[in-house]
Amino acid sequence: MAQVTPQSCHLQLQFQVGTTASGMPRIQNRNYANVSPSASDDDLLAVGQALAALFDLPLHAIARVDQDAIEPSTQA
């Protein structure tokens, strides 16, 4: 069985900066690093919404990006 260890986390705000020729939204990301992996999803949503209010661009999405290390379990 594998053992998962949280390594890092960052908050990503995705803003729509226009549209492509095919009519799909053109997205620009703003990343905020050094977020505690133990931060709750509700807290990250609140912070993301507060930060997004500081921009003049329409908010497309708020994402939590976690990076975990996967190692083999030490149990036999």
Side-chain angles (χ1 to χ4, degrees), residues 24-60:
M24 298 296 295
R26 176 170 282 141
I27 303 299
Q28 182 179 61
N29 297 329
R30 301 281 185 187
N31 295 303
Y32 298 91
N34 301 319
V35 174
S36 173
S38 64
S40 74
D41 294 335
D42 289 333
D43 288 342
L44 288 180
L45 177 62
V47 169
Q49 290 171 332
L51 287 171
L54 300 174
F55 289 85
D56 290 332
L57 299 168
L59 181 64
H60 181 73

Side-chain angles (χ1 to χ4, degrees), residues 3-5 16 18 21-22 24 27-29 32 43 63-64 70:
Q3 180 177 351
V4 177
T5 306
Q16 183 172 350
S22 62
M24 298 296 295
I27 303 299
Q28 182 179 61
N29 297 329
Y32 298 91
D43 288 342
R64 173 189 187 125
I70 301 173

Side-chain angles (χ1 to χ4, degrees), residues 2-10 35-38 64-71:
Q3 180 177 351
V4 177
T5 306
Q7 296 295 306
S8 66
C9 177
H10 72 266
V35 174
S36 173
S38 64
R64 173 189 187 125
V65 182
D66 291 313
Q67 184 176 9
D68 298 327
I70 301 173
E71 301 172 352

